[in-house]
Amino acid sequence: MKKRFYNPAQLFISSFLLLITAGTCLLKLPWALHQPLSWIDALFTSTSAVCVTGLIVVDTATHFTFLGQLTIMLLIQAGGIGILSFAALFSYFLKGGSTYENQLAVGVYSNTQRMSEVFVLLRRTVWVTLGIEMIGAVGIFWSLGDNTGMSYGSRIFYSLFHAISSFCNAGFSTMSNGLMDDAVVHNYSLQLLISLIYIFGGLGFPIVVNVLQYLKHVYKQLIGKWTLKGRFHRPWVLNINSKINLVTTGIVTLFATLVIYINEYGNVLAAHEGVDKLVIAFSTATTPRTAGFNSIDFGALQFSTIIFIMLLMWVGASPNSTGGGIKTSTLAVAVLNILSLAKGKDRTEVFGREISTISIQRAFATMFLSLFTIGMAIFSISFFEPTRPLLEVAFECFSAYSTVGLSLGVTSDFVTESKVILILTMFVGRVTMLSVLIAFIKKVKYTHYRYAPEELTIY
């Protein structure tokens, strides 16, 4: 393999395939199971864990032993950070360095412009991930209290499992009903804490690191002011990528929370009172953005709310994160481009910067390929199960592609062929269809020429 250079997309896809295969074999071992598990269900569970989706065909709480649940947790962690990141770091630490070729591959994967930043970013990724997960685990442990009926050891494992599952946006739970379980459904501090953890995971590692750099800069500014040492100015501490994704995430979250709060006030939120309704509405509005935890019964939602949640699942989280979907940056670029066209401008500008043409092309390619993949998945499952309601099929396909994990409770009822379709959809959704095309389509070597431009009739 060393004699042949694999492009970053091929390495990225291969790493996930190998991890899914290993996870499937581990989940079939007797020590991982309380009950027999078919190969297709083991493959489905492994794919769902590695692709941090959360769709399940068997009950994680009762079907798997402690070691089986531990295996699922490790698969989630490896899939969340990215096995390629781990491989690059291990290579760096064991060899004391890395080749330029390896740095180039990891640089493309992590969207890093300068080679000197590749392993710095990867180290920060691992440490930030583990740090937030540990803080989250401690918070979950203390929020559980002594009223859940769990033993001390069970509380520790529950806290660690859900901290990793929430930060990686996986949606797996060691309780049969997830966050709907009677022991935690009215624990609103726990519901809010888990929501904040998966929001951090969905922001993306570069954005989290950039926000931490910005907070450090603000702290230095304040220290300089109070110590009379003077203040210094650093422009663009918070880069354009972070600004766009943070603003888009804030707007989508606020709008989604209000819609669900108003639409479900007398329905699924009726069991909660006062501010507690707002907490559950907030968690319900944020979990479709690829977290997958359910604080309410999604099968009991209004039809209009289900359609709205499918839209939220399609949008997903931010780029370079543990979440899926088309990403908030893609949505922002598409909206900004439409507004620019409406204003008669020939370029897209925001925050005093012009968005590059390649970013706009990637955004619309991502949107088209996502809808094409989801459409093919819906068609295929409808072919194998012609009597199943379209809403159920579409919801599962959107959830699988965007690696969300939410379900209307029909995943385990699918036939084998439909499960295979969902497995492929989860995998493609995790690695993205654009990466699949890049991996298998030969790149053009010479792009120094341009043909004469022509305009087509579009509308």
Side-chain angles (χ1 to χ4, degrees), residues 131-374:
I132 294 177
E133 287 174 348
M134 289 306 299
I135 294 172
V138 172
I140 292 173
F141 180 84
W142 289 113
S143 66
L144 285 174
D146 299 321
N147 302 321
T148 58
M150 298 182 187
S151 65
Y152 193 80
S154 297
R155 280 171 59 190
I156 292 176
F157 182 70
Y158 178 92
S159 302
L160 189 60
F161 187 99
H162 284 77
I164 292 174
S165 182
S166 54
F167 184 80
C168 293
N169 281 235
F172 277 87
S173 177
T174 54
M175 288 184 171
S176 298
N177 293 323
L179 297 184
M180 278 181 58
D181 193 277
D182 293 335
V184 296
V185 68
H186 294 292
N187 188 339
Y188 300 104
S189 60
L190 174 66
Q191 301 279 355
L192 185 60
L193 178 59
I194 288 181
S195 298
L196 293 176
I197 295 172
Y198 62 64
I199 287 174
F200 265 103
L203 284 177
F205 303 117
I207 295 176
V208 171
V209 170
N210 190 219
V211 169
L212 292 176
Q213 291 173 339
Y214 177 74
L215 294 176
K216 181 180 178 181
H217 173 69
V218 171
Y219 174 74
K220 287 183 177 180
Q221 290 277 69
L222 293 174
I223 292 297
K225 178 180 179 181
W226 290 107
T227 58
L228 302 178
K229 291 182 179 180
R231 303 173 68 184
F232 60 95
H233 176 66
R234 281 186 61 193
W236 299 101
V237 177
L238 199 63
N239 61 44
I240 189 72
N241 182 64
S242 298
K243 287 182 179 180
I244 288 177
N245 284 287
L246 288 171
V247 170
T248 306
T249 297
I251 292 174
V252 171
T253 300
L254 178 61
F255 179 70
T257 302
L258 290 175
V259 169
I260 292 174
Y261 182 79
I262 295 170
N263 213 30
E264 298 294 331
Y265 187 88
N267 189 27
V268 296
L269 298 180
H272 309 277
E273 298 181 358
V275 181
D276 300 337
K277 285 181 183 286
L278 195 59
V279 173
I280 300 300
F282 175 76
S283 64
T284 305
T286 51
T287 195
R289 300 196 40 245
T290 87
F293 287 99
N294 57 319
S295 303
I296 47 92
D297 181 9
F298 278 80
L301 290 171
Q302 305 275 9
F303 179 84
S304 57
T305 305
I306 294 176
I307 297 298
F308 180 67
I309 284 176
M310 288 168 63
L311 176 62
L312 293 176
M313 291 193 294
W314 181 61
V315 173
S318 299
N320 289 118
S321 71
T322 56
I326 62 171
K327 305 296 189 295
T328 50
S329 56
T330 299
L331 175 67
V333 168
V335 171
L336 290 171
N337 186 54
I338 292 171
L339 292 176
S340 296
L341 290 173
K343 294 176 181 178
K345 299 171 67 175
D346 60 354
R347 57 191 178 275
T348 304
E349 299 169 334
V350 64
F351 297 127
R353 290 291 186 271
E354 180 181 341
I355 298 176
S356 64
T357 303
I358 187 63
S359 296
I360 298 174
Q361 291 175 342
R362 285 174 178 167
F364 281 95
T366 299
M367 294 172 70
F368 170 78
L369 290 172
S370 68
L371 292 175
F372 175 79
T373 305
I374 294 170

Side-chain angles (χ1 to χ4, degrees), residues 23-49 54-73 75-76 157 161 172-176:
T24 302
C25 296
L26 289 173
L27 292 177
K28 278 288 291 181
L29 295 175
W31 49 259
L33 301 167
H34 283 304
Q35 306 170 40
L37 186 70
S38 65
W39 278 105
I40 187 66
D41 288 345
L43 177 62
F44 191 101
T45 304
S46 178
T47 305
S48 184
L55 287 175
I56 57 173
V57 286
V58 294
D59 186 3
T60 308
T62 60
H63 210 97
F64 295 98
T65 64
F66 169 77
L67 292 176
Q69 293 175 5
L70 182 63
T71 301
I72 291 174
M73 185 181 74
L75 290 174
I76 291 171
F157 182 70
F161 187 99
F172 277 87
S173 177
T174 54
M175 288 184 171
S176 298

